Amino acid sequence: MADVFHAHQHQFLQRWGPALSDQQRKVLRDIGLCRTATLGSHLERCDRCSYETVAYDSCRNRHCPKCQSSARDRWLLKQAASLLPVPYAHVVFTVPEQLAPLALRNQRVFYSLLFRAASETLLEIAADPRHLGARIGVLAVLHTWSQNLRHHPHLHCLVPVGGLDLDNSRWIRTRRRGFFLPVRVLSRMFRGKLLAFLKQSYRHGELCFAGKLAELSTPHAFHALLGSLRRTEWVVYSKPPFGGPEHVLKYLARYTHRVAISNGRLLSLEDGQVRFRWRDSRNSNRSSVMSLDAVEFIRRFLLHVLPAGFVKIRHFGLLANRNRRHTLALCRLHLCATAADPATLLTEQQKSALSRSCPQCKCGTLHVVSRCSDAETPSPRLAIHCAVFDSS
């Protein structure tokens, strides 16, 4: 990714520079400088043998594909202690493509409403005695991209299959093996909630209708859009429940700290064209190779830069931060289980990355002993004219 930015950043800024947000400009700069001399370097030394190595500092930007693997492993180690010894369901909430431009122009508001609608849908339907009649926990992760890097906002939710009785007296399991909650019911309640939240935000003047969205700014046009969306079926996908904690960690590793595209999917950069692997969901997930102009590739990547400080991983219900410790202890009491040892759930590769094992003696741990140079001051940022950019 950094190679693409280095080679074509100037061309990209010439075309799209005035439309970049502060956050997008920062991502463009950070990824290009990640693990280079510009950010500085440090000396690492093994505490068991004489091995030493000089390593460049990383940018630690959450949109950088290089920096997310270690951040993911640290997060997984922390989350492993919260897993329950029960099957888990993977539920995906998507929104119609007609709402994607509105979401892109109003990222902070729209994505927050997406979290709220999906979480309330799961919690309310699970609490209904006709379905489960229990209080459940939800871990939700926001993704905004498709495999071809186009804007496609959706939520991945991991949910323990079962929950606490409404009076906390027992653990309630699903009535049918291999089934969690009815998808059609989830879809229709999610649709109703998100459209109602959008209508409320419009009434309070919280939505922006700049650029191509200007025609939606009138009440008639906006409510006509919502009315047409209310008459269509929305897609909510629920995979059959899968195994216990070790399987959940594999799922978390796939979805939590993923960025729009990883370096492993990039194949080549030649003659201003970026070639990368992708899966076509409309063609039975067939794997193929896509070629994009480098400027267009960078534009698509930066579409998925989130607003500064926006939390893209959230917990609800039994897993909500304010009561997680108490409710998890209660769940384990009813399940006659103890908290899992996080170290036993991680792969050897993850353990090695977290422990900073010495590659020479395999027994020692690498420690930073000194800084070799200070980071250079980055060039001043240009004026910012717009929060997002599109292909118009």
Side-chain angles (χ1 to χ4, degrees):
M1 188 69 67
D3 292 338
V4 179
F5 284 8
H6 287 152
H8 297 278
Q9 178 175 278
H10 181 67
Q11 295 172 261
F12 175 80
L13 290 175
Q14 279 186 324
R15 182 175 178 184
W16 296 108
L20 288 180
S21 72
D22 187 23
Q23 195 68 8
Q24 288 165 334
R25 197 175 294 277
K26 184 177 185 299
V27 170
L28 188 64
R29 184 198 68 200
D30 287 353
I31 293 179
L33 298 178
C34 186
R35 301 186 188 182
T36 65
T38 304
L39 293 184
S41 57
H42 56 273
L43 177 66
E44 296 181 346
R45 181 180 298 155
C46 176
D47 57 8
R48 291 285 188 92
C49 67
S50 59
Y51 179 80
E52 290 185 349
T53 183
V54 175
Y56 289 125
D57 294 339
S58 59
C59 68
R60 298 189 179 183
N61 194 300
R62 63 172 171 170
H63 300 92
C64 175
K66 289 182 183 178
C67 296
Q68 288 308 293
S69 59
S70 57
R72 176 202 63 203
D73 291 340
R74 289 192 297 270
W75 186 85
L76 286 177
L77 184 64
K78 181 179 179 181
Q79 294 299 316
S82 300
L83 298 177
L84 296 172
V86 297
Y88 277 70
H90 180 193
V91 186
V92 183
F93 291 88
T94 64
V95 297
E97 60 182 3
Q98 295 93 321
L99 286 177
L102 184 67
L104 187 60
R105 184 64 63 176
N106 301 271
Q107 294 182 65
R108 191 178 297 275
V109 172
F110 190 95
Y111 296 156
S112 296
L113 296 181
L114 182 58
F115 272 111
R116 182 182 172 190
S119 61
E120 289 187 8
T121 296
L122 285 168
L123 295 176
E124 288 182 22
I125 293 179
D128 190 333
R130 292 174 296 177
H131 301 296
L132 186 62
R135 295 168 53 221
I136 63 171
V138 180
L139 184 153
V141 184
L142 172 68
H143 284 185
T144 64
W145 55 84
S146 61
Q147 279 277 310
N148 59 8
L149 298 186
R150 294 195 178 278
H151 186 239
H152 174 55
H154 56 284
L155 281 186
H156 292 272
C157 299
L158 286 171
V159 190
V161 176
L164 287 176
D165 193 1
L166 300 183
D167 61 2
N168 294 334
S169 61
R170 62 192 178 97
W171 178 265
I172 297 180
R173 303 180 186 274
T174 55
R175 296 166 186 171
R176 286 194 295 164
R177 187 179 181 87
F179 177 80
F180 180 45
L181 294 173
V183 172
R184 182 66 63 86
V185 178
L186 289 171
S187 173
R188 293 183 175 178
M189 180 177 286
F190 171 65
R191 176 185 64 188
K193 283 184 175 293
L194 185 55
L195 292 179
F197 295 155
L198 287 173
K199 185 181 294 187
Q200 184 180 50
S201 295
Y202 178 81
R203 190 165 57 247
H204 293 164
E206 297 172 348
L207 299 177
C208 171
F209 296 94
K212 290 184 175 180
L213 293 176
E215 60 185 22
L216 287 178
S217 59
T218 64
H220 175 75
F222 183 76
H223 289 99
L225 172 65
L226 298 191
S228 66
L229 293 175
R230 192 177 297 276
R231 294 188 292 271
T232 62
E233 293 292 342
W234 290 24
V235 178
V236 174
Y237 177 70
S238 179
K239 294 183 179 181
F242 51 91
E246 65 282 359
H247 296 92
V248 179
L249 279 184
K250 291 180 181 178
Y251 262 72
L252 290 175
R254 292 182 196 175
Y255 295 107
T256 53
H257 289 69
R258 181 180 289 181
V259 296
I261 189 170
S262 64
N263 284 329
R265 285 176 55 197
L266 301 180
L267 299 177
S268 67
L269 172 62
E270 296 176 352
D271 301 323
Q273 297 290 312
V274 180
R275 295 175 63 252
F276 61 93
R277 290 192 300 270
W278 74 298
R279 286 182 293 102
D280 188 356
S281 60
R282 297 182 180 181
N283 192 15
S284 303
N285 277 330
R286 179 177 296 176
S287 181
S288 58
V289 175
M290 177 172 288
S291 180
L292 284 179
D293 175 76
V295 172
E296 171 63 11
F297 176 84
I298 297 174
R299 185 193 73 85
R300 290 195 191 185
F301 180 86
L302 293 181
L303 286 175
H304 311 293
V305 173
L306 297 175
F310 187 85
V311 180
K312 72 169 187 175
I313 305 175
R314 304 190 184 188
H315 301 79
F316 303 95
L318 300 179
L319 301 179
N321 293 330
R322 62 181 177 181
N323 59 2
R324 183 188 307 173
R325 180 178 299 179
H326 170 72
T327 54
L328 287 178
L330 192 58
C331 291
R332 293 192 179 100
L333 177 65
H334 293 311
L335 290 167
C336 301
T338 58
D341 180 6
T344 63
L345 301 176
L346 299 178
T347 65
E348 292 302 320
Q349 184 178 4
Q350 290 170 335
K351 293 177 185 177
S352 176
L354 288 172
S355 63
R356 303 285 296 151
S357 299
C358 173
Q360 180 170 284
C361 68
K362 310 295 184 183
C363 300
T365 302
L366 296 179
H367 297 277
V368 177
V369 294
S370 66
R371 294 285 168 182
C372 301
S373 62
D374 296 326
E376 296 178 3
T377 303
S379 56
R381 299 177 188 174
L382 301 179
I384 300 150
H385 301 285
C386 181
V388 295
F389 56 92
D390 54 32
S391 57
S392 58

